[in-house]
Amino acid sequence: MKIQFTINSVDKNGDEKLFQKPWFGTLNMLSAMFLVLVVEQLFTGCTLCRKQTAQMVPLLPDDLLANKKESKTWSQKVLLVAFPAFFDLLATAFCCIGIMYIPASVWQMLRGSALVFCALLSVCFLKRKMYAFNLIGLAICVVGITTVGLANILGSNSEGADSGTGTDLATTLYGMGLVLAGQLVQAAQVIAEEWLMKDVDLPAVQIIGFEGFWGLLMMMAIVYPLLWVLPGDDGGHVEDPIDTAVMLSNSLPLITCVVTYLISCGTFNITGIQVTAALSAVHRMMLDASRTMVIWAFGLYVHYCFDPNSKFGESWNSYSYIQLVGFVILVTGQAIYGEVLKLPGLRYPPATLAALHASPAAAAYLASPLPREA
């Protein structure tokens, strides 16, 4: 995502400029989600078009499904998906705008704040119970997120003072604030899915696909008309879709980046669900942490081995050590919260089976951001 916002292309006026189109990035994400549904239906023979037959009887024992009443039609279930789709659209837009102003590694680390927001909202709206280890883990996460944010602010100021081209404090805070706002909205999506989807026994892949479908409809029918009408810096609009199309057509690297993002995002949505179901909590935590480290390492590689002037590259400054410490603190807090690291002397709830229809948005975080029900 970050790379496409750092590529130059020729706009509709013949001028070369950066492709800073965050709402197109949001459209890209939603398109990837919808393509998940399309691919799934192609491989399963369009099951949405067929009624359930005797060969499609659920394999779950009857006693597990005894309390699940068929109170909603298939159409009603699909309509319900529109509510979390709205939250997903808004959260993705906030994150796409925010990532233009901060390094990709900081953006990835700040996404850990979704765990804090999910936990707090789950207590308020889902009436989940927080154990002592949950509270300790959340407190450590807050310390880690604050440390990462502080390192980013100090590092940006340091680079600006040395080269005169660094990001100013207000811009850095603006980007970080948008990312945190995006994680708050993403947490609201997880809560909405947990609350609204109790009777929506659709496969998680289909829920993701229909969220993408509803998100695309909202983008085309509501968001893009508003972006065109409201005044802004993109040719007099908040974001000009015609200019977006022209810039895409004038840059093969940009098109390649967009297509690659579509494929990788769709793949991540599918594999995230499978990984959540198949691997242990320890493996999921390790994968999530390694993803952040790979993004950070790639940014360093671009800066030192490819192009020091690349807007995607990240330099290692005197405050990067603080960011690294903050990241370790954040991962430690997530591990304690998710019961990967168990503290002696604290009470833990008994082990239970995973929910039959967990939130797909929660699955995207690999380790569930919601406190476990006792």
Side-chain angles (χ1 to χ4, degrees):
M1 182 191 296
K2 175 75 173 180
I3 297 178
Q4 64 180 293
F5 297 143
T6 64
I7 297 177
N8 286 314
S9 183
V10 179
D11 64 10
K12 65 180 183 181
N13 298 319
D15 300 323
E16 185 173 316
K17 66 179 183 180
L18 281 175
F19 184 78
Q20 295 195 327
K21 308 281 188 177
W23 288 98
F24 175 76
T26 304
L27 182 72
N28 213 7
M29 166 74 83
L30 296 170
S31 299
M33 294 172 64
F34 178 63
L35 285 177
V36 168
L37 178 64
V38 174
V39 172
E40 189 258 355
Q41 289 301 299
L42 288 176
F43 276 95
T44 57
C46 194
T47 56
L48 297 179
C49 305
R50 302 199 308 264
K51 295 183 178 180
Q52 188 180 47
T53 63
Q55 288 77 19
M56 299 168 63
V57 175
L59 297 177
L60 293 173
D62 293 338
D63 56 342
L64 291 178
L65 300 175
N67 295 326
K68 295 185 68 64
K69 298 179 180 179
E70 190 67 25
S71 57
K72 291 181 174 62
T73 64
W74 182 85
S75 299
Q76 290 173 328
K77 295 174 184 178
V78 173
L79 284 173
L80 274 178
V81 180
F83 289 97
F86 169 75
F87 289 116
D88 199 10
L89 186 158
L90 194 58
T92 304
F94 280 145
C95 291
C96 284
I97 299 173
I99 199 174
M100 296 192 302
Y101 304 106
I102 61 176
S105 64
V106 175
W107 178 85
Q108 180 66 30
M109 293 179 193
L110 290 180
R111 290 184 73 249
S113 61
L115 183 147
V116 178
F117 294 132
C118 280
L120 296 178
L121 292 179
S122 69
V123 172
C124 296
F125 297 100
L126 300 180
K127 307 305 179 184
R128 293 285 180 91
K129 180 180 179 181
M130 296 277 281
Y131 291 85
F133 71 89
N134 290 132
L135 296 174
I136 293 173
L138 288 180
I140 295 175
C141 285
V142 171
V143 173
I145 293 167
T146 304
T147 304
V148 169
L150 180 62
N152 184 43
I153 293 172
L154 295 175
S156 298
N157 288 341
S158 175
E159 290 179 1
D162 294 339
S163 63
T165 58
T167 305
D168 62 271
L169 177 60
T171 302
T172 301
L173 290 174
Y174 175 66
M176 292 170 58
L178 284 174
V179 175
L180 292 174
Q183 297 316 298
L184 176 59
V185 178
Q186 198 87 64
Q189 178 195 352
V190 174
I191 301 302
E193 287 181 347
E194 289 286 331
W195 186 51
L196 293 173
M197 302 296 178
K198 292 185 183 298
D199 297 327
V200 181
D201 53 346
L202 296 173
V205 172
Q206 290 187 17
I207 293 178
I208 290 174
F210 282 120
E211 283 184 1
F213 170 76
W214 287 116
L216 288 174
L217 284 183
M218 294 176 193
M219 285 291 296
M220 296 301 180
I222 301 174
V223 176
Y224 264 123
L226 285 176
L227 295 177
W228 179 267
V229 172
L230 296 176
D233 298 329
D234 192 11
H237 314 283
V238 174
E239 186 167 308
D240 187 347
I242 299 176
D243 186 59
T244 300
V246 172
M247 293 185 72
L248 285 169
S249 64
N250 288 332
S251 175
L252 180 59
L254 183 57
I255 294 178
T256 303
C257 184
V258 169
V259 173
T260 302
Y261 178 73
L262 270 173
I263 297 172
S264 63
C265 186
T267 303
F268 174 77
N269 280 314
I270 296 176
T271 56
I273 295 172
Q274 303 303 323
V275 165
T276 301
L279 297 185
S280 68
V282 177
H283 291 110
R284 294 197 299 269
M285 187 68 65
M286 290 172 60
L287 282 174
D288 206 28
S290 63
R291 181 174 56 175
T292 303
M293 294 306 296
V294 167
I295 291 174
W296 196 0
F298 183 72
L300 293 171
Y301 171 78
V302 169
H303 179 81
Y304 289 105
C305 300
F306 183 69
D307 182 7
N309 298 318
S310 172
K311 294 182 179 296
F312 181 77
E314 297 183 37
S315 62
W316 184 274
N317 55 58
S318 55
Y319 297 101
S320 295
Y321 294 101
I322 300 178
Q323 182 178 339
L324 180 60
V325 171
F327 172 65
V328 173
I329 294 173
L330 176 60
V331 172
T332 302
Q334 292 174 333
I336 293 174
Y337 177 87
E339 303 178 51
V340 175
L341 291 177
K342 292 192 175 183
L343 302 177
L346 298 181
R347 185 169 69 90
Y348 287 83
T352 57
L353 293 175
L356 292 178
H357 304 289
S359 163
Y365 288 96
L366 298 182
S368 176
L370 293 174
R372 189 158 59 87
E373 291 180 298

PDB file of all heavy atoms in Angstrom, residues 358-370:
ATOM      1  N   ALA A 358     -16.352 -17.028  14.199  1.00  0.00           N
ATOM      2  CA  ALA A 358     -15.628 -15.889  14.740  1.00  0.00           C
ATOM      3  C   ALA A 358     -15.613 -14.748  13.740  1.00  0.00           C
ATOM      4  O   ALA A 358     -15.821 -14.921  12.549  1.00  0.00           O
ATOM      5  CB  ALA A 358     -14.203 -16.298  15.089  1.00  0.00           C
ATOM      6  N   SER A 359     -15.348 -13.547  14.252  1.00  0.00           N
ATOM      7  CA  SER A 359     -15.295 -12.366  13.413  1.00  0.00           C
ATOM      8  C   SER A 359     -14.165 -12.483  12.388  1.00  0.00           C
ATOM      9  O   SER A 359     -13.017 -12.694  12.751  1.00  0.00           O
ATOM     10  CB  SER A 359     -15.069 -11.135  14.295  1.00  0.00           C
ATOM     11  OG  SER A 359     -14.625 -10.051  13.525  1.00  0.00           O
ATOM     12  N   PRO A 360     -14.458 -12.329  11.088  1.00  0.00           N
ATOM     13  CA  PRO A 360     -13.388 -12.354  10.085  1.00  0.00           C
ATOM     14  C   PRO A 360     -12.386 -11.232  10.281  1.00  0.00           C
ATOM     15  O   PRO A 360     -11.202 -11.391  10.006  1.00  0.00           O
ATOM     16  CB  PRO A 360     -14.150 -12.202   8.759  1.00  0.00           C
ATOM     17  CG  PRO A 360     -15.527 -12.667   9.048  1.00  0.00           C
ATOM     18  CD  PRO A 360     -15.790 -12.269  10.478  1.00  0.00           C
ATOM     19  N   ALA A 361     -12.860 -10.069  10.735  1.00  0.00           N
ATOM     20  CA  ALA A 361     -11.935  -8.964  10.987  1.00  0.00           C
ATOM     21  C   ALA A 361     -10.977  -9.308  12.114  1.00  0.00           C
ATOM     22  O   ALA A 361      -9.803  -8.959  12.080  1.00  0.00           O
ATOM     23  CB  ALA A 361     -12.722  -7.701  11.330  1.00  0.00           C
ATOM     24  N   ALA A 362     -11.477 -10.019  13.131  1.00  0.00           N
ATOM     25  CA  ALA A 362     -10.603 -10.450  14.216  1.00  0.00           C
ATOM     26  C   ALA A 362      -9.599 -11.474  13.711  1.00  0.00           C
ATOM     27  O   ALA A 362      -8.433 -11.481  14.124  1.00  0.00           O
ATOM     28  CB  ALA A 362     -11.427 -11.043  15.356  1.00  0.00           C
ATOM     29  N   ALA A 363     -10.037 -12.329  12.798  1.00  0.00           N
ATOM     30  CA  ALA A 363      -9.122 -13.337  12.245  1.00  0.00           C
ATOM     31  C   ALA A 363      -8.002 -12.699  11.446  1.00  0.00           C
ATOM     32  O   ALA A 363      -6.901 -13.237  11.363  1.00  0.00           O
ATOM     33  CB  ALA A 363      -9.906 -14.312  11.352  1.00  0.00           C
ATOM     34  N   ALA A 364      -8.274 -11.532  10.868  1.00  0.00           N
ATOM     35  CA  ALA A 364      -7.239 -10.850  10.088  1.00  0.00           C
ATOM     36  C   ALA A 364      -6.068 -10.414  10.948  1.00  0.00           C
ATOM     37  O   ALA A 364      -4.972 -10.182  10.439  1.00  0.00           O
ATOM     38  CB  ALA A 364      -7.835  -9.638   9.370  1.00  0.00           C
ATOM     39  N   TYR A 365      -6.299 -10.283  12.258  1.00  0.00           N
ATOM     40  CA  TYR A 365      -5.211  -9.923  13.165  1.00  0.00           C
ATOM     41  C   TYR A 365      -4.438 -11.148  13.637  1.00  0.00           C
ATOM     42  O   TYR A 365      -3.542 -11.013  14.465  1.00  0.00           O
ATOM     43  CB  TYR A 365      -5.756  -9.180  14.382  1.00  0.00           C
ATOM     44  CG  TYR A 365      -6.206  -7.776  14.066  1.00  0.00           C
ATOM     45  CD1 TYR A 365      -7.545  -7.494  13.797  1.00  0.00           C
ATOM     46  CD2 TYR A 365      -5.293  -6.734  14.016  1.00  0.00           C
ATOM     47  CE1 TYR A 365      -7.950  -6.210  13.491  1.00  0.00           C
ATOM     48  CE2 TYR A 365      -5.691  -5.446  13.710  1.00  0.00           C
ATOM     49  CZ  TYR A 365      -7.022  -5.186  13.455  1.00  0.00           C
ATOM     50  OH  TYR A 365      -7.424  -3.908  13.144  1.00  0.00           O
ATOM     51  N   LEU A 366      -4.779 -12.318  13.111  1.00  0.00           N
ATOM     52  CA  LEU A 366      -4.130 -13.590  13.440  1.00  0.00           C
ATOM     53  C   LEU A 366      -4.412 -13.988  14.880  1.00  0.00           C
ATOM     54  O   LEU A 366      -4.980 -15.026  15.156  1.00  0.00           O
ATOM     55  CB  LEU A 366      -2.631 -13.539  13.179  1.00  0.00           C
ATOM     56  CG  LEU A 366      -2.235 -13.290  11.716  1.00  0.00           C
ATOM     57  CD1 LEU A 366      -0.727 -13.309  11.564  1.00  0.00           C
ATOM     58  CD2 LEU A 366      -2.878 -14.281  10.780  1.00  0.00           C
ATOM     59  N   ALA A 367      -4.010 -13.187  15.869  1.00  0.00           N
ATOM     60  CA  ALA A 367      -4.355 -13.429  17.266  1.00  0.00           C
ATOM     61  C   ALA A 367      -5.575 -12.593  17.593  1.00  0.00           C
ATOM     62  O   ALA A 367      -5.589 -11.390  17.341  1.00  0.00           O
ATOM     63  CB  ALA A 367      -3.183 -13.067  18.176  1.00  0.00           C
ATOM     64  N   SER A 368      -6.631 -13.192  18.141  1.00  0.00           N
ATOM     65  CA  SER A 368      -7.882 -12.479  18.365  1.00  0.00           C
ATOM     66  C   SER A 368      -7.678 -11.302  19.304  1.00  0.00           C
ATOM     67  O   SER A 368      -7.081 -11.416  20.366  1.00  0.00           O
ATOM     68  CB  SER A 368      -8.930 -13.425  18.957  1.00  0.00           C
ATOM     69  OG  SER A 368     -10.113 -12.702  19.255  1.00  0.00           O
ATOM     70  N   PRO A 369      -8.191 -10.109  18.920  1.00  0.00           N
ATOM     71  CA  PRO A 369      -8.062  -8.948  19.784  1.00  0.00           C
ATOM     72  C   PRO A 369      -9.108  -8.893  20.886  1.00  0.00           C
ATOM     73  O   PRO A 369      -9.080  -7.976  21.710  1.00  0.00           O
ATOM     74  CB  PRO A 369      -8.234  -7.776  18.797  1.00  0.00           C
ATOM     75  CG  PRO A 369      -9.147  -8.334  17.747  1.00  0.00           C
ATOM     76  CD  PRO A 369      -8.793  -9.800  17.633  1.00  0.00           C
ATOM     77  N   LEU A 370     -10.047  -9.829  20.898  1.00  0.00           N
ATOM     78  CA  LEU A 370     -11.106  -9.819  21.906  1.00  0.00           C
ATOM     79  C   LEU A 370     -10.717 -10.676  23.099  1.00  0.00           C
ATOM     80  O   LEU A 370     -10.110 -11.732  22.945  1.00  0.00           O
ATOM     81  CB  LEU A 370     -12.414 -10.353  21.308  1.00  0.00           C
ATOM     82  CG  LEU A 370     -13.067  -9.495  20.225  1.00  0.00           C
ATOM     83  CD1 LEU A 370     -14.262 -10.228  19.638  1.00  0.00           C
ATOM     84  CD2 LEU A 370     -13.489  -8.147  20.785  1.00  0.00           C
TER      85      LEU A 370
END
